[in-house]
Amino acid sequence: MVEAVQDAGVVVTGAGGGIGAALARRFAAEGARVVVNDLDAGKAEAVAGEIGGIAVPGDASAIVGDARDALGGSVDVYCANAGVAFGYEGAGETLDERSWELSWDVNVMAHVRAAHALLPHWLERGRGRFVSTVSAAGLLTMIGAPAYAVTKHGALAFAEWLSLTYRHRGVKVHAICPQGVRTDMLAATGSAGDLVLRPTAIEPEAVADALFQGIEEDRFLILPHPEVAEYYQARAATPDRWLAGMNHIQQKWEAGR
């Protein structure tokens, strides 16, 4: 058992399935009190019923107050997990502005709004934990999904800012950056996901395992696929070579569509 989360009040957004449900189950197994959030009330209630948690369905951007009340007045851990992705089978330049706006709102601004609501209490008491489900796309990129890649970079940047700004005041931040995970979102990536993500895809429970190892080791960056660290280093050290390699993958994808 991880002492840091025993009896903690935990919120997991987008927890009706996939990574979110795996996180909710793992926190509950570790002795936490878990609020399960999802836009789909039925899915939130099903997972909450399974783990002995509390369902608080609705928009992830606006549930901190209700979640805090459900937990008896305090949120100790907030998992900003809800996310959206668009455009995998279409050309990036034709992705409509509404999809860009929704990607920005869910993948970045929901995190900002949650932090805005959580930080005053966390700073007052000197502790809190913010977990951001980012994706390796936030460290690297993803073919066929411009809004997803760009907004996941934004989510990572916000998590980094939270950590560097508040770590000395007791706020712990973790950024989870997996590649392919066997979820409904992976199924929706189509041929791009088949080429890049599916060959090394892992189960959602492996992501939860990686997070809990990172919590025990007090690490910011959580890499369920360890090879992502090498790709990230290559991107930083030789960006033109890395971009050329990614363009080769893009061309391979285009040729096979």
Side-chain angles (χ1 to χ4, degrees), residues 147-190:
Y148 184 75
V150 170
T151 56
K152 288 299 186 176
H153 273 71
L156 178 65
F158 183 64
E160 289 174 335
W161 185 86
L162 282 179
S163 182
L164 70 90
T165 304
Y166 298 114
R167 61 170 47 207
H168 66 293
R169 298 180 66 179
V171 176
K172 307 284 188 179
V173 183
H174 308 280
I176 309 174
C177 298
Q179 291 192 109
V181 182
R182 296 187 184 99
T183 65
D184 290 344
M185 186 176 285
L186 176 61
T189 60

Side-chain angles (χ1 to χ4, degrees), residues 15-247:
I19 293 173
L23 294 177
R25 292 183 183 108
R26 181 61 182 271
F27 274 106
E30 294 283 342
R33 297 170 291 114
V34 183
V35 161
V36 179
N37 162 259
D38 201 275
L39 271 177
D40 187 318
K43 289 183 177 180
E45 289 163 3
V47 174
E50 173 193 336
I51 66 173
I54 308 164
V56 179
D59 186 339
S61 291
I63 57 108
V64 169
D66 288 343
R68 184 183 286 129
D69 291 342
L71 291 168
S74 180
V75 174
D76 301 298
V77 182
Y78 188 90
C79 298
N81 172 77
V84 295
F86 301 101
Y88 281 100
E89 291 301 336
E93 67 273 13
T94 64
L95 190 65
D96 62 277
E97 287 198 14
R98 175 57 184 153
S99 295
W100 276 96
E101 291 169 359
L102 187 57
S103 297
W104 184 257
D105 196 60
V106 176
N107 295 347
V108 181
M109 291 309 299
H111 299 204
V112 174
R113 296 182 189 112
H116 182 77
L118 292 161
L119 279 168
H121 181 58
W122 284 357
L123 296 176
E124 180 180 356
R125 70 178 185 175
R127 69 181 188 278
R129 192 178 301 270
F130 193 94
V131 179
S132 177
T133 300
V134 176
S135 164
L139 290 168
L140 306 169
T141 190
M142 179 59 195
I143 63 172
Y148 184 75
V150 170
T151 56
K152 288 299 186 176
H153 273 71
L156 178 65
F158 183 64
E160 289 174 335
W161 185 86
L162 282 179
S163 182
L164 70 90
T165 304
Y166 298 114
R167 61 170 47 207
H168 66 293
R169 298 180 66 179
V171 176
K172 307 284 188 179
V173 183
H174 308 280
I176 309 174
C177 298
Q179 291 192 109
V181 182
R182 296 187 184 99
T183 65
D184 290 344
M185 186 176 285
L186 176 61
T189 60
S191 59
D194 290 343
L195 177 63
V196 177
L197 302 175
R198 201 175 301 278
T200 60
I202 59 177
E203 296 297 332
E205 290 74 19
V207 178
D209 290 343
L211 171 62
F212 272 77
Q213 183 177 348
I215 289 174
E216 289 189 286
E217 296 173 358
D218 198 21
R219 281 190 287 107
F220 168 79
L221 194 58
I222 311 298
L223 299 178
H225 294 80
E227 63 268 27
V228 169
E230 298 176 14
Y231 305 153
Y232 189 41
Q233 290 172 343
R235 177 179 177 268
T238 56
D240 287 295
R241 181 178 178 182
W242 180 81
L243 286 168
M246 289 302 299
N247 179 251

